[in-house]
Amino acid sequence: MCRNIKTLFNFQPPATDDEIRASALQFVRKLSGFTRPSQANAAAFDQAVDEVTAAARTLIASLSTTAAPRDREVEAVKARVRSRARFSRA
């Protein structure tokens, strides 16, 4: 499940709110062990997602770098190459 959490810092264009929330959702899912919480736990789960989203947004906005912004397409190609190398072993 955590493999879905992607690096969001230093990309051009910057990470969207949807990407940050999706990353927070994956993080909370991993911590809690729930894909979808029960009704009894839904409020706590949703609050955790909101808080992690806010913390992630603050973190990304606070970071600085001298490196050039990364290109999403180039990073996607690199990820596909790594995936092929990892899963094509027979």
Side-chain angles (χ1 to χ4, degrees):
M1 193 175 348
C2 279
R3 290 185 188 135
N4 294 334
I5 298 176
K6 306 293 184 209
T7 301
L8 299 176
F9 175 63
N10 197 30
F11 276 100
Q12 193 60 354
T16 64
D17 284 341
D18 288 341
E19 289 173 316
I20 294 170
R21 183 158 183 85
S23 179
L25 177 61
Q26 287 297 320
F27 181 73
V28 172
R29 284 178 173 168
K30 183 64 174 184
L31 285 178
S32 67
F34 299 135
T35 301
R36 276 179 262 145
S38 66
Q39 286 182 341
N41 293 320
F45 186 89
D46 292 340
Q47 180 180 355
V49 172
D50 292 342
E51 290 175 5
V52 171
T53 300
R57 220 180 265 125
T58 300
L59 173 65
I60 291 169
S62 300
L63 296 173
S64 64
T65 184
T66 57
R70 293 180 283 186
D71 184 291
R72 292 178 189 278
E73 291 301 317
V74 170
E75 295 300 320
V77 169
K78 288 180 188 177
R80 283 193 291 272
V81 169
R82 283 191 306 269
S83 179
R84 276 191 217 114
R86 180 176 181 196
F87 294 110
S88 66
R89 297 179 198 151

